[in-house]
Amino acid sequence: MLASSLAAALVAVLASQPASAQAPTYGLCDKANYVFSSLVSAAKATFPIEATTKLTGAGAPLTISGNVEILDGCSFAVREFVLLNSGECLWFGGNVGSADGITVSDAIVTQSAFPQSVIFNLTTVAGRQANWGGFNELRLFERNTNTLLAKVTLPVIASKPAGSSASGSASASGSAGTAVASSTSTPTAKAATGGSMRAVASMGAGFAAAIVVGSIMSYAI
């Protein structure tokens, strides 16, 4: 009786905990078959760029604005894009709540004082291909300082195109501030706080479960 009650309590505690954010996945993009095809067809695939910091990694005031429009399964456009005072930047991708990420495009993001439109292609480099089913947040990193400058939150759509792989994810921060362990030779970046946040979340579930166990055991005694 005690064992079954304990098991039920543990299941209830774990079920009440928010699911851990998954790491983004690699997979070759498909121009026609992709998760946002219905939004693109309905002209609803444009999302705002949100600044995550007021200063660049060098401490200069950051100016950034614009929107991201998904064009097809392998490309996106940055519309009305303004970027000032940053260093060399790249687009990364990750999942909201996760510190892990992958390089989305190998094209350098250039600065512009006047609104411009630029098209970026998802990377197709063997071993680290990107597709829209692998992440739900675009992240603009200043590469020389490993600073997250902006993000674009994408809608979460359940179905994913074939070809996504859960292996080989790199790291990129989903919160404002500075990332670590990114260089010009690797398509990865990781937030200094990402690991700690995941650890705290795990400890929270375990601690809650321990409280339930203790309560049941005391009751039984």
Side-chain angles (χ1 to χ4, degrees):
M1 183 67 176
L2 176 61
S4 59
S5 298
L6 176 59
L10 287 174
V11 169
V13 169
L14 295 177
S16 68
Q17 300 300 312
S20 298
Q22 294 183 346
T25 57
Y26 290 118
L28 184 63
C29 67
D30 187 320
K31 204 173 185 70
N33 178 29
Y34 57 103
V35 294
F36 298 126
S37 57
S38 60
L39 295 180
V40 171
S41 299
K44 296 181 178 179
T46 299
F47 312 99
I49 296 173
E50 305 172 50
T52 56
T53 179
K54 295 182 178 179
L55 301 175
T56 66
L62 174 69
T63 298
I64 184 169
S65 61
N67 298 284
V68 164
E69 179 187 0
I70 297 174
L71 300 178
D72 54 40
C74 295
S75 64
F76 64 98
V78 180
R79 307 290 191 194
E80 299 295 312
F81 186 59
V82 174
L83 177 63
L84 287 176
N85 298 327
S86 75
E88 189 175 89
C89 296
L90 285 174
W91 286 108
F92 287 78
N95 287 324
V96 175
S98 171
D100 299 315
I102 61 176
T103 303
V104 168
S105 175
D106 293 314
I108 301 299
V109 180
T110 58
Q111 296 191 60
S112 175
F114 303 99
Q116 63 174 343
S117 292
V118 184
I119 293 177
F120 295 89
N121 294 314
L122 302 188
T123 184
T124 56
V125 176
R128 58 182 183 86
Q129 302 100 325
N131 71 77
W132 293 119
F135 56 92
N136 58 37
E137 187 175 70
L138 281 170
R139 300 164 182 174
L140 185 66
F141 268 94
E142 186 178 51
R143 190 159 68 170
N144 59 327
T145 63
N146 292 329
T147 301
L148 176 64
L149 302 182
K151 64 180 181 178
V152 179
T153 303
L154 305 174
V156 177
I157 299 178
S159 61
K160 290 186 177 182
S164 294
S165 169
S167 63
S169 63
S171 301
S173 168
S175 57
T178 303
V180 297
S182 174
S183 69
T184 56
S185 61
T186 175
T188 66
K190 184 172 184 179
T193 59
S196 299
M197 291 173 65
R198 290 195 300 275
V200 169
S202 297
M203 288 174 63
F207 184 66
I211 292 176
V212 173
V213 172
S215 300
I216 293 176
M217 292 300 291
S218 298
Y219 182 83
I221 293 171

